[in-house]
């Protein structure tokens, strides 16, 4: 079986880019905690805010699916 050329490769590139951003953000958080330069502290702050937003979205998504499946007993 063969994937269609551009679609599979593009997905891999997007996921690889996202992985690089996540790892870079984690490195900046650790570096900032040890007193890195101002730009590292800025990247670390953005990384922490995005992490909180993702956590809140996942939490609300989980609540929504529990509320939808917990009907009135019919």
């Amino acid at each position: 079986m063969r994937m269609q050329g551009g679609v599979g490769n593009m997905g891999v590139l997007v996921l690889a880019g996202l992985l690089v951003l996540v790892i870079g953000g984690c490195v900046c958080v650790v570096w900032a905690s040890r007193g890195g330069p101002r730009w590292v502290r800025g990247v670390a702050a953005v990384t922490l805010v995005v992490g909180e937003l993702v956590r809140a979205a996942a939490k609300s998504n989980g609540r929504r699916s529990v509320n939808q499946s917990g009907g009135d007993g019919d």
Side-chain angles (χ1 to χ4, degrees), residues 26-51:
C26 292
V27 167
C28 285
V29 167
V30 172
W31 190 5
S33 72
R34 297 172 184 246
R38 183 178 296 167
W39 69 268
V40 171
R41 291 192 300 267
V43 172
V46 169
T47 301
L48 292 173
V49 168
V50 169

